[in-house]
Amino acid sequence: MKKDFYEILGIAKNASEAEIKKAYRKRAIEFHPDKNPGDKAAEEKFKEAAEAYEVLSDPQKKAKYDQYGHQAFDGAGGFGGGHMNMDDIFSQFGDIFGSAFGGGGFGGFSGGGGQRRVKGSNLRIKVKLTLEEIANGVEKKVKVKRKIQAPGVSYKTCSTCNGQGQVMRVTNTILGRMQTATTCPTCGGSGQSIDKKPNHADAQGMILEDETVSIKIPAGVVDGMQLKVSGKGNDAPGNGIPGDLIVAIEEVEHEFLKREGENLHYDLYISFAEAVLGVSKDIEAVNGKVRIKLEEGIQSGKILRLKGKGIPSLNSYGSGDLLVHVNVWTPKSLNKEQKKFFESNLEDENFVPKPEKSEKSFFEKVKDMFS
């Protein structure tokens, strides 16, 4: 089971942005590969800290993590940042080390500048899910058109930056001549440029190719949630890092059931005779039909709660409930015999409304429904 991100960084849930950054820097320096050469355990802790910081330093990701936990980013299909490598970490967060490691150099990686591995662009798709698929979890196979490096492409050292990934610029200021390093505009910081490429490849040596990607979606996802499949976006030129595939969840409306968080609502209509005599009914649930028994004299507006028949929690905290709303259908037209029967019972004491004190008002029922 994955560790809590707050526990990894040693901070409280209400920690400020500055506190999150400070805690990550402390952990990153403690377990930095330069300080712990060959120590696999330290390397894993270094990656854990980077993954925690990647989520908690982003307000939107942090909000999703606070609500749904690891499964908001780390479903069974390899979503989330749990597979960050050293390139990812140094390219995204290298500047946070400051001068602690002379710019962050480590084994050919660079966190404070110099040659870096370019990351490919992300791809975004929408996946439509039925309520049944959301309740049970599902594996979807989708076809995506992604850029890959064309066969036969070769690279050479960038002539603009001589493979450094940076160019030096000198500017005159009121304080004198200032020298700054900027990312090479020719190679984008990779230190490489195309030497040879086939005619059908683009200027970066890339071609489009269809690929079928398998996505395992956990039970309990919600409409609008975004999941990430690492490394299934566009490839990057040269020895770059592939982008990610961002999967947006779109929930298909159910014919009978209405979703409210983890609970489901079902409108059950019964006749006046069924309400008087009582009846058994089959209810449409998310995993098939469920038979319920309605007692004699059931009132319109009664809400029956079927425990655990709703949507599973994304954090595996059980399932919501199915709320059955009983509606007594009043006939709009009667024949003479039927009309005569009801007219004869207008003054009958059994037909006079006598709500008991135990009968809840409409507002009390709504309050119970949302509690």
Side-chain angles (χ1 to χ4, degrees), residues 67-281:
Q67 187 174 3
Y68 301 111
H70 289 298
Q71 291 200 48
F73 307 96
D74 203 28
F79 307 118
H83 304 280
M84 296 181 74
N85 57 35
M86 291 301 182
D87 284 331
D88 292 324
I89 296 169
F90 283 110
S91 65
Q92 292 183 52
F93 313 129
D95 59 340
I96 207 169
F97 303 125
S99 59
F101 293 91
F106 160 64
F109 304 103
S110 180
Q115 184 177 338
R116 64 185 179 88
R117 289 179 68 186
V118 178
K119 185 170 183 177
S121 58
N122 292 340
L123 294 175
R124 298 177 183 276
I125 61 169
K126 279 187 177 181
V127 172
K128 292 185 177 183
L129 300 178
T130 65
L131 206 53
E132 289 81 5
E133 289 173 329
I134 289 174
N136 297 294
V138 66
E139 182 173 354
K140 288 280 188 179
K141 293 185 184 295
V142 297
K143 184 176 286 187
V144 295
K145 192 178 289 290
R146 54 190 297 260
K147 287 184 178 182
I148 64 168
Q149 185 174 296
V153 171
S154 61
Y155 294 86
K156 62 183 178 181
T157 300
C158 176
S159 58
T160 303
C161 65
N162 293 320
Q164 295 302 306
Q166 289 186 337
V167 292
M168 304 303 294
R169 297 183 185 276
V170 179
T171 55
N172 294 317
T173 70
I174 59 173
L175 299 175
R177 291 167 65 83
M178 300 288 290
Q179 181 172 284
T180 57
T182 59
T183 300
C184 176
T186 302
C187 65
S190 67
Q192 302 178 76
S193 59
I194 289 182
D195 184 25
K196 296 177 183 178
K197 69 179 182 68
N199 293 331
H200 62 284
D202 64 17
Q204 295 180 314
M206 312 296 285
I207 57 173
L208 282 172
E209 184 173 272
D210 288 333
E211 181 177 340
T212 300
V213 179
S214 181
I215 308 170
K216 290 183 179 178
I217 301 174
V221 294
V222 297
D223 186 75
M225 177 179 285
Q226 292 188 351
L227 306 174
K228 183 172 76 174
V229 185
S230 298
K232 289 302 180 180
N234 289 321
D235 280 351
N239 192 29
I241 306 165
D244 303 317
L245 177 63
I246 308 300
V247 182
I249 301 299
E250 185 175 337
E251 184 178 314
V252 178
E253 187 174 345
H254 195 277
E255 185 179 1
F256 304 110
L257 299 169
K258 299 295 181 184
R259 183 179 181 183
E260 179 221 342
E262 293 164 4
N263 292 332
L264 295 174
H265 297 268
Y266 180 88
D267 275 317
L268 173 63
Y269 288 89
I270 60 174
S271 69
F272 185 80
E274 289 174 326
V276 172
L277 301 174
V279 68
S280 292
K281 285 284 186 179

